Amino acid sequence: MNALRFADINGWRQALLAAPSAAALTASSQAMARASQAQLNACITLPELASPTHATGAALAGIPYAHKDLFCTRGIRTTAGSKMLSTFVPPYDATVSARLADAGAVLIAKSNMDEFAMGSSNENSAFGAVRNPWDSDRVSGGSSGGSAALVAAGVVPFATGSDTGGSVRQPAAFCGVTGFKPTYGRVSRYGMIAYASSLDQAGVIARHARDCAEVLQQIAGFDPRDATSVERPLDDFRAACDLGVRGLRIGVARELFSAGVRPAVAACVRAALAQLQAAGGVLVDIELPRLPLSIPAYYVIAPAEASSNLARYDGVRYGHRANAASDLAELYSRTRSEGFGTEVKRRILVGTFVLSAGYYDAYYLRAQQVRRLIAEDFARAFANVDVIAGPTTPDVAFKLGENTADPLAMYAADINTVAVNLAGLPAISVPCGLVDQLPVGLQLIGPAWGECKVLAAAAAYQSITDWHQQRPPAPAASGSPR
Amino acid sequence: MHIESSKLDRLAILSRLALSADERFALGADIERVLGMVSALARVDVAGVTPMAHPDDASLRLRPDQVTEADHQAALEAIAPEMRGGLYLVPKVLE
C-alpha cells in the first residue's frame, strides 16, 4: 500500500520535502485514483500531470488534489457529469482552478458528480454512480460524490466541491470526511459550471477542518470576474482553527433533529455536542421554525435558476449537438433531449413551470419571500449564538437504487442542508460517529462571513475526537484505467 | 396540481426538450408530485415580505468601462460543433 494513502496535506508536504522525486510521489496519488476506479468510479478524467513545484515554497506546492468536474480546467475535459459536455475542453480556467495552480497544487483527477450538480446520491452522473468507500453497495452522496469518495479512500488529501443545497456537506457526511461550504460570495464562481447561481458556492472536502482552512485560504477572495463575489478582507482561516470553543455559544436547533432524523444518528450528534460542551462550548436551545419550508422553497428556486442557466446548452457554440436536425427548433430540442439526463430534464421542466406566465407569483416570487423568512430565522438565532449545530443528514448513506424511483424521497433527505444555501451561510460537516458501520456527520453552521467560528468549532472537535481519522474497512481494489 | 397533456407539451416547447412517450408519462407525474410538495408555500403568510433573490441582497457591481478581455475567437471556434468562416452554423432559418 502507498505509504501516503490517507495522508493529510501536512503529511504530503513532509513526504514531498524528503522525496528524491516530487513528481513520482504526486504521480502515486494518481495511480491510487486509477486503481480505485473499479471499486469507486470516482474519477471522470485522469489528466496528464503538471510538474510539481514544491521547491517554490507555494502554499500547496506539490500537493495532489481531485477537482470536481464542474470547475473549468483549460485544456482538460470538463463534463459536469453530463453527456452534454462529455467532450467539452474549456479554453479557460475557473478562478478556483487558477488559484489552486498558483498555490502549487497538482490536479490528479477530475472527479465524478451528479449531472450539473443535480442530485444527492451521485447516481445522476452520465459516467455512472460513485460508490461509497465504506460500503460499495451504497451511494457516496452527491453531488460532489467523487471528491468525497477520493478523500475518504485516502487517494488525495483534499478535493474541491460545489454546494448548492448540500453537495459538499452531504457526501462528506456519507463518506466520513470533512466538507466545508463557505459563505455565498466568498469563493469565486467564475468558471464553475452553473446550476443555481444564487445558491452555488465552491467548497472543500478534506480529512479535517485544518486542511479545509488551508485550501480555503488559497481559493477564497474577491474576483472581479464573478459579479456576485464579495469584496471584503480575507480572514486568517488557518489561525481560526486554533481558537478553540471555550465560551463559544452553540445553538442546538430542535428542527434539525426532527424531520425524520434517525434516532441513532441524532444520538451520535448529541454525543458530539456533549463533547463540545465539555471542551468549554455553551449549548443553547434555539428554534428555526421555518426550516421545514426550506425543501419546498429550494425546489422552486433551484429549478427556476437551473432552467435559465441551462438554456445555454443549445448545440451551437459548444457541447453536444444532435445530428441531422431539419430546423433550428429541432436542433435545440434534440440536442438537449439527447444531452441531458432525466433529473436535469425534470428540474428544467419544473423550473420552466414556476417561471411561466400565470404561475410566477404563486411559485417563484412566493418561494423567494419564504427564502427571506428562512434567512431571518437564522439571523434571529445568530443574535444569540455563534454557531448552530445538528446532524448533516437524517440518516447514513443509503443503498444504490434505493431512492432513484422516488425523486421526492431523495429531495426530502436534503432537509438539513438546503436552508444554509437559501440563507447563503458557511457550514461544515465533520465525522462524529458510526451507525451500522457507516459515517455520521455533525453539521456546524455559522453566520454570514463567520467561517472562522465554524472552523474553530470543527477543529476543536477534531482535536478531542478521532472520528475524522477513521478509515473505510476495505482498501480500494485495483481496477482498470480510464 | 394536475398537469394536462397540453400544458406538458407547452412546458416541453418552452424548455426546448423533445420528450419521448415514456418520458412524458413519467416526468408529467413527477412534476405533479413536485408541485404538490411545494404547495406548502401557499399556506405561508408572506404579506409584506420582500422577495430574496440573493443571499447578500447585493446589487450587481458595475465595472469601469474598459476593454479587459482579449480576443478569444480562435479558442471559441475550436470548441464549436460546426463553424465556417468565423460563423456558427445552424439549420437554415429563413426560406
PDB file of all heavy atoms in Angstrom, chain A residues 302-328:
ATOM      1  N   ALA A 302     -34.234  26.631  -6.986  1.00  0.00           N
ATOM      2  CA  ALA A 302     -33.119  25.986  -7.696  1.00  0.00           C
ATOM      3  C   ALA A 302     -33.527  25.535  -9.104  1.00  0.00           C
ATOM      4  O   ALA A 302     -32.796  25.822 -10.069  1.00  0.00           O
ATOM      5  CB  ALA A 302     -32.561  24.830  -6.869  1.00  0.00           C
ATOM      6  N   PRO A 303     -34.654  24.857  -9.294  1.00  0.00           N
ATOM      7  CA  PRO A 303     -35.039  24.509 -10.669  1.00  0.00           C
ATOM      8  C   PRO A 303     -35.280  25.740 -11.550  1.00  0.00           C
ATOM      9  O   PRO A 303     -34.966  25.724 -12.743  1.00  0.00           O
ATOM     10  CB  PRO A 303     -36.328  23.700 -10.490  1.00  0.00           C
ATOM     11  CG  PRO A 303     -36.232  23.122  -9.119  1.00  0.00           C
ATOM     12  CD  PRO A 303     -35.540  24.188  -8.315  1.00  0.00           C
ATOM     13  N   ALA A 304     -35.834  26.805 -10.948  1.00  0.00           N
ATOM     14  CA  ALA A 304     -36.066  28.016 -11.746  1.00  0.00           C
ATOM     15  C   ALA A 304     -34.739  28.550 -12.279  1.00  0.00           C
ATOM     16  O   ALA A 304     -34.606  28.865 -13.476  1.00  0.00           O
ATOM     17  CB  ALA A 304     -36.766  29.077 -10.898  1.00  0.00           C
ATOM     18  N   GLU A 305     -33.754  28.641 -11.402  1.00  0.00           N
ATOM     19  CA  GLU A 305     -32.454  29.160 -11.838  1.00  0.00           C
ATOM     20  C   GLU A 305     -31.782  28.176 -12.800  1.00  0.00           C
ATOM     21  O   GLU A 305     -31.115  28.583 -13.758  1.00  0.00           O
ATOM     22  CB  GLU A 305     -31.572  29.443 -10.615  1.00  0.00           C
ATOM     23  CG  GLU A 305     -32.142  30.561  -9.758  1.00  0.00           C
ATOM     24  CD  GLU A 305     -31.224  30.999  -8.614  1.00  0.00           C
ATOM     25  OE1 GLU A 305     -30.026  30.657  -8.635  1.00  0.00           O
ATOM     26  OE2 GLU A 305     -31.713  31.696  -7.716  1.00  0.00           O
ATOM     27  N   ALA A 306     -31.989  26.876 -12.561  1.00  0.00           N
ATOM     28  CA  ALA A 306     -31.398  25.876 -13.447  1.00  0.00           C
ATOM     29  C   ALA A 306     -31.995  25.978 -14.851  1.00  0.00           C
ATOM     30  O   ALA A 306     -31.282  25.879 -15.853  1.00  0.00           O
ATOM     31  CB  ALA A 306     -31.615  24.478 -12.881  1.00  0.00           C
ATOM     32  N   SER A 307     -33.301  26.174 -14.928  1.00  0.00           N
ATOM     33  CA  SER A 307     -33.936  26.215 -16.250  1.00  0.00           C
ATOM     34  C   SER A 307     -33.388  27.383 -17.060  1.00  0.00           C
ATOM     35  O   SER A 307     -33.240  27.299 -18.279  1.00  0.00           O
ATOM     36  CB  SER A 307     -35.458  26.300 -16.121  1.00  0.00           C
ATOM     37  OG  SER A 307     -35.858  27.571 -15.656  1.00  0.00           O
ATOM     38  N   SER A 308     -33.057  28.459 -16.355  1.00  0.00           N
ATOM     39  CA  SER A 308     -32.471  29.617 -17.034  1.00  0.00           C
ATOM     40  C   SER A 308     -30.998  29.360 -17.377  1.00  0.00           C
ATOM     41  O   SER A 308     -30.565  29.556 -18.520  1.00  0.00           O
ATOM     42  CB  SER A 308     -32.611  30.840 -16.119  1.00  0.00           C
ATOM     43  OG  SER A 308     -31.924  31.939 -16.640  1.00  0.00           O
ATOM     44  N   ASN A 309     -30.234  28.892 -16.403  1.00  0.00           N
ATOM     45  CA  ASN A 309     -28.799  28.665 -16.628  1.00  0.00           C
ATOM     46  C   ASN A 309     -28.527  27.643 -17.727  1.00  0.00           C
ATOM     47  O   ASN A 309     -27.585  27.787 -18.513  1.00  0.00           O
ATOM     48  CB  ASN A 309     -28.139  28.166 -15.331  1.00  0.00           C
ATOM     49  CG  ASN A 309     -27.630  29.307 -14.468  1.00  0.00           C
ATOM     50  OD1 ASN A 309     -27.230  30.345 -14.980  1.00  0.00           O
ATOM     51  ND2 ASN A 309     -27.644  29.118 -13.169  1.00  0.00           N
ATOM     52  N   LEU A 310     -29.340  26.594 -17.784  1.00  0.00           N
ATOM     53  CA  LEU A 310     -29.063  25.521 -18.726  1.00  0.00           C
ATOM     54  C   LEU A 310     -29.644  25.791 -20.118  1.00  0.00           C
ATOM     55  O   LEU A 310     -29.501  24.966 -21.022  1.00  0.00           O
ATOM     56  CB  LEU A 310     -29.554  24.177 -18.181  1.00  0.00           C
ATOM     57  CG  LEU A 310     -28.520  23.438 -17.306  1.00  0.00           C
ATOM     58  CD1 LEU A 310     -28.128  24.233 -16.082  1.00  0.00           C
ATOM     59  CD2 LEU A 310     -28.997  22.057 -16.915  1.00  0.00           C
ATOM     60  N   ALA A 311     -30.268  26.966 -20.268  1.00  0.00           N
ATOM     61  CA  ALA A 311     -30.762  27.332 -21.591  1.00  0.00           C
ATOM     62  C   ALA A 311     -29.613  27.515 -22.580  1.00  0.00           C
ATOM     63  O   ALA A 311     -29.798  27.446 -23.791  1.00  0.00           O
ATOM     64  CB  ALA A 311     -31.586  28.621 -21.502  1.00  0.00           C
ATOM     65  N   ARG A 312     -28.406  27.707 -22.051  1.00  0.00           N
ATOM     66  CA  ARG A 312     -27.263  27.978 -22.928  1.00  0.00           C
ATOM     67  C   ARG A 312     -26.840  26.744 -23.734  1.00  0.00           C
ATOM     68  O   ARG A 312     -26.132  26.864 -24.722  1.00  0.00           O
ATOM     69  CB  ARG A 312     -26.080  28.483 -22.092  1.00  0.00           C
ATOM     70  CG  ARG A 312     -25.454  27.425 -21.216  1.00  0.00           C
ATOM     71  CD  ARG A 312     -24.464  28.030 -20.228  1.00  0.00           C
ATOM     72  NE  ARG A 312     -25.136  28.855 -19.222  1.00  0.00           N
ATOM     73  CZ  ARG A 312     -24.515  29.453 -18.210  1.00  0.00           C
ATOM     74  NH1 ARG A 312     -23.218  29.348 -18.074  1.00  0.00           N
ATOM     75  NH2 ARG A 312     -25.181  30.165 -17.331  1.00  0.00           N
ATOM     76  N   TYR A 313     -27.251  25.560 -23.295  1.00  0.00           N
ATOM     77  CA  TYR A 313     -26.818  24.334 -23.982  1.00  0.00           C
ATOM     78  C   TYR A 313     -27.762  24.072 -25.150  1.00  0.00           C
ATOM     79  O   TYR A 313     -28.815  23.469 -24.992  1.00  0.00           O
ATOM     80  CB  TYR A 313     -26.765  23.163 -22.985  1.00  0.00           C
ATOM     81  CG  TYR A 313     -25.824  23.466 -21.855  1.00  0.00           C
ATOM     82  CD1 TYR A 313     -26.291  23.771 -20.593  1.00  0.00           C
ATOM     83  CD2 TYR A 313     -24.447  23.512 -22.079  1.00  0.00           C
ATOM     84  CE1 TYR A 313     -25.422  24.098 -19.569  1.00  0.00           C
ATOM     85  CE2 TYR A 313     -23.569  23.849 -21.057  1.00  0.00           C
ATOM     86  CZ  TYR A 313     -24.063  24.141 -19.806  1.00  0.00           C
ATOM     87  OH  TYR A 313     -23.196  24.485 -18.804  1.00  0.00           O
ATOM     88  N   ASP A 314     -27.336  24.552 -26.307  1.00  0.00           N
ATOM     89  CA  ASP A 314     -28.223  24.526 -27.472  1.00  0.00           C
ATOM     90  C   ASP A 314     -27.592  23.850 -28.683  1.00  0.00           C
ATOM     91  O   ASP A 314     -28.165  23.830 -29.763  1.00  0.00           O
ATOM     92  CB  ASP A 314     -28.647  25.951 -27.837  1.00  0.00           C
ATOM     93  CG  ASP A 314     -27.446  26.872 -28.072  1.00  0.00           C
ATOM     94  OD1 ASP A 314     -26.299  26.375 -28.118  1.00  0.00           O
ATOM     95  OD2 ASP A 314     -27.664  28.093 -28.194  1.00  0.00           O
ATOM     96  N   GLY A 315     -26.387  23.311 -28.519  1.00  0.00           N
ATOM     97  CA  GLY A 315     -25.747  22.602 -29.627  1.00  0.00           C
ATOM     98  C   GLY A 315     -25.109  23.510 -30.658  1.00  0.00           C
ATOM     99  O   GLY A 315     -24.699  23.037 -31.725  1.00  0.00           O
ATOM    100  N   VAL A 316     -25.005  24.794 -30.356  1.00  0.00           N
ATOM    101  CA  VAL A 316     -24.478  25.733 -31.364  1.00  0.00           C
ATOM    102  C   VAL A 316     -23.037  26.134 -31.056  1.00  0.00           C
ATOM    103  O   VAL A 316     -22.172  26.064 -31.925  1.00  0.00           O
ATOM    104  CB  VAL A 316     -25.369  26.996 -31.456  1.00  0.00           C
ATOM    105  CG1 VAL A 316     -24.754  28.032 -32.394  1.00  0.00           C
ATOM    106  CG2 VAL A 316     -26.768  26.612 -31.925  1.00  0.00           C
ATOM    107  N   ARG A 317     -22.773  26.520 -29.823  1.00  0.00           N
ATOM    108  CA  ARG A 317     -21.462  27.117 -29.539  1.00  0.00           C
ATOM    109  C   ARG A 317     -20.451  26.127 -28.960  1.00  0.00           C
ATOM    110  O   ARG A 317     -19.275  26.221 -29.245  1.00  0.00           O
ATOM    111  CB  ARG A 317     -21.639  28.320 -28.614  1.00  0.00           C
ATOM    112  CG  ARG A 317     -22.305  29.494 -29.308  1.00  0.00           C
ATOM    113  CD  ARG A 317     -22.994  30.386 -28.341  1.00  0.00           C
ATOM    114  NE  ARG A 317     -24.048  29.648 -27.642  1.00  0.00           N
ATOM    115  CZ  ARG A 317     -24.633  30.059 -26.534  1.00  0.00           C
ATOM    116  NH1 ARG A 317     -24.250  31.176 -25.984  1.00  0.00           N
ATOM    117  NH2 ARG A 317     -25.581  29.343 -25.973  1.00  0.00           N
ATOM    118  N   TYR A 318     -20.918  25.208 -28.150  1.00  0.00           N
ATOM    119  CA  TYR A 318     -20.027  24.182 -27.583  1.00  0.00           C
ATOM    120  C   TYR A 318     -20.891  23.072 -27.019  1.00  0.00           C
ATOM    121  O   TYR A 318     -22.103  23.212 -26.863  1.00  0.00           O
ATOM    122  CB  TYR A 318     -19.110  24.760 -26.502  1.00  0.00           C
ATOM    123  CG  TYR A 318     -19.813  25.400 -25.337  1.00  0.00           C
ATOM    124  CD1 TYR A 318     -20.040  24.686 -24.174  1.00  0.00           C
ATOM    125  CD2 TYR A 318     -20.270  26.715 -25.400  1.00  0.00           C
ATOM    126  CE1 TYR A 318     -20.688  25.263 -23.095  1.00  0.00           C
ATOM    127  CE2 TYR A 318     -20.927  27.298 -24.335  1.00  0.00           C
ATOM    128  CZ  TYR A 318     -21.134  26.570 -23.180  1.00  0.00           C
ATOM    129  OH  TYR A 318     -21.787  27.155 -22.125  1.00  0.00           O
ATOM    130  N   GLY A 319     -20.287  21.955 -26.726  1.00  0.00           N
ATOM    131  CA  GLY A 319     -21.022  20.833 -26.150  1.00  0.00           C
ATOM    132  C   GLY A 319     -21.678  19.970 -27.199  1.00  0.00           C
ATOM    133  O   GLY A 319     -21.455  20.116 -28.406  1.00  0.00           O
ATOM    134  N   HIS A 320     -22.537  19.034 -26.710  1.00  0.00           N
ATOM    135  CA  HIS A 320     -23.183  18.069 -27.605  1.00  0.00           C
ATOM    136  C   HIS A 320     -24.073  18.771 -28.636  1.00  0.00           C
ATOM    137  O   HIS A 320     -24.658  19.810 -28.355  1.00  0.00           O
ATOM    138  CB  HIS A 320     -24.037  17.108 -26.763  1.00  0.00           C
ATOM    139  CG  HIS A 320     -24.808  16.127 -27.581  1.00  0.00           C
ATOM    140  ND1 HIS A 320     -24.197  15.072 -28.228  1.00  0.00           N
ATOM    141  CD2 HIS A 320     -26.134  16.054 -27.897  1.00  0.00           C
ATOM    142  CE1 HIS A 320     -25.114  14.384 -28.886  1.00  0.00           C
ATOM    143  NE2 HIS A 320     -26.297  14.950 -28.694  1.00  0.00           N
ATOM    144  N   ARG A 321     -24.134  18.179 -29.839  1.00  0.00           N
ATOM    145  CA  ARG A 321     -25.023  18.685 -30.882  1.00  0.00           C
ATOM    146  C   ARG A 321     -25.656  17.496 -31.586  1.00  0.00           C
ATOM    147  O   ARG A 321     -24.960  16.559 -31.992  1.00  0.00           O
ATOM    148  CB  ARG A 321     -24.226  19.514 -31.890  1.00  0.00           C
ATOM    149  CG  ARG A 321     -25.021  20.050 -33.094  1.00  0.00           C
ATOM    150  CD  ARG A 321     -24.035  20.728 -34.021  1.00  0.00           C
ATOM    151  NE  ARG A 321     -24.581  21.267 -35.239  1.00  0.00           N
ATOM    152  CZ  ARG A 321     -24.797  22.561 -35.458  1.00  0.00           C
ATOM    153  NH1 ARG A 321     -24.549  23.434 -34.520  1.00  0.00           N
ATOM    154  NH2 ARG A 321     -25.253  22.986 -36.629  1.00  0.00           N
ATOM    155  N   ALA A 322     -26.986  17.501 -31.699  1.00  0.00           N
ATOM    156  CA  ALA A 322     -27.693  16.412 -32.386  1.00  0.00           C
ATOM    157  C   ALA A 322     -27.397  16.464 -33.875  1.00  0.00           C
ATOM    158  O   ALA A 322     -27.209  17.533 -34.460  1.00  0.00           O
ATOM    159  CB  ALA A 322     -29.185  16.540 -32.140  1.00  0.00           C
ATOM    160  N   ASN A 323     -27.370  15.311 -34.498  1.00  0.00           N
ATOM    161  CA  ASN A 323     -27.127  15.222 -35.940  1.00  0.00           C
ATOM    162  C   ASN A 323     -28.419  15.428 -36.728  1.00  0.00           C
ATOM    163  O   ASN A 323     -29.492  15.060 -36.272  1.00  0.00           O
ATOM    164  CB  ASN A 323     -26.570  13.829 -36.292  1.00  0.00           C
ATOM    165  CG  ASN A 323     -25.142  13.682 -35.796  1.00  0.00           C
ATOM    166  OD1 ASN A 323     -24.364  14.633 -35.820  1.00  0.00           O
ATOM    167  ND2 ASN A 323     -24.804  12.495 -35.322  1.00  0.00           N
ATOM    168  N   ALA A 324     -28.246  15.979 -37.927  1.00  0.00           N
ATOM    169  CA  ALA A 324     -29.301  15.984 -38.946  1.00  0.00           C
ATOM    170  C   ALA A 324     -30.627  16.566 -38.480  1.00  0.00           C
ATOM    171  O   ALA A 324     -31.697  16.027 -38.787  1.00  0.00           O
ATOM    172  CB  ALA A 324     -29.514  14.547 -39.458  1.00  0.00           C
ATOM    173  N   ALA A 325     -30.576  17.649 -37.724  1.00  0.00           N
ATOM    174  CA  ALA A 325     -31.823  18.330 -37.381  1.00  0.00           C
ATOM    175  C   ALA A 325     -32.309  19.107 -38.598  1.00  0.00           C
ATOM    176  O   ALA A 325     -31.506  19.700 -39.319  1.00  0.00           O
ATOM    177  CB  ALA A 325     -31.592  19.268 -36.202  1.00  0.00           C
ATOM    178  N   SER A 326     -33.617  19.107 -38.826  1.00  0.00           N
ATOM    179  CA  SER A 326     -34.135  19.741 -40.052  1.00  0.00           C
ATOM    180  C   SER A 326     -34.326  21.243 -39.882  1.00  0.00           C
ATOM    181  O   SER A 326     -34.344  21.982 -40.862  1.00  0.00           O
ATOM    182  CB  SER A 326     -35.456  19.084 -40.455  1.00  0.00           C
ATOM    183  OG  SER A 326     -36.390  19.236 -39.405  1.00  0.00           O
ATOM    184  N   ASP A 327     -34.531  21.697 -38.674  1.00  0.00           N
ATOM    185  CA  ASP A 327     -34.646  23.143 -38.468  1.00  0.00           C
ATOM    186  C   ASP A 327     -34.046  23.510 -37.107  1.00  0.00           C
ATOM    187  O   ASP A 327     -33.645  22.630 -36.331  1.00  0.00           O
ATOM    188  CB  ASP A 327     -36.096  23.616 -38.594  1.00  0.00           C
ATOM    189  CG  ASP A 327     -37.020  22.935 -37.590  1.00  0.00           C
ATOM    190  OD1 ASP A 327     -36.579  22.686 -36.451  1.00  0.00           O
ATOM    191  OD2 ASP A 327     -38.170  22.631 -37.944  1.00  0.00           O
ATOM    192  N   LEU A 328     -34.003  24.791 -36.820  1.00  0.00           N
ATOM    193  CA  LEU A 328     -33.305  25.258 -35.623  1.00  0.00           C
ATOM    194  C   LEU A 328     -33.991  24.761 -34.345  1.00  0.00           C
ATOM    195  O   LEU A 328     -33.323  24.329 -33.394  1.00  0.00           O
ATOM    196  CB  LEU A 328     -33.237  26.790 -35.634  1.00  0.00           C
ATOM    197  CG  LEU A 328     -32.296  27.435 -34.616  1.00  0.00           C
ATOM    198  CD1 LEU A 328     -30.879  26.938 -34.768  1.00  0.00           C
ATOM    199  CD2 LEU A 328     -32.346  28.965 -34.751  1.00  0.00           C
TER     200      LEU A 328
END
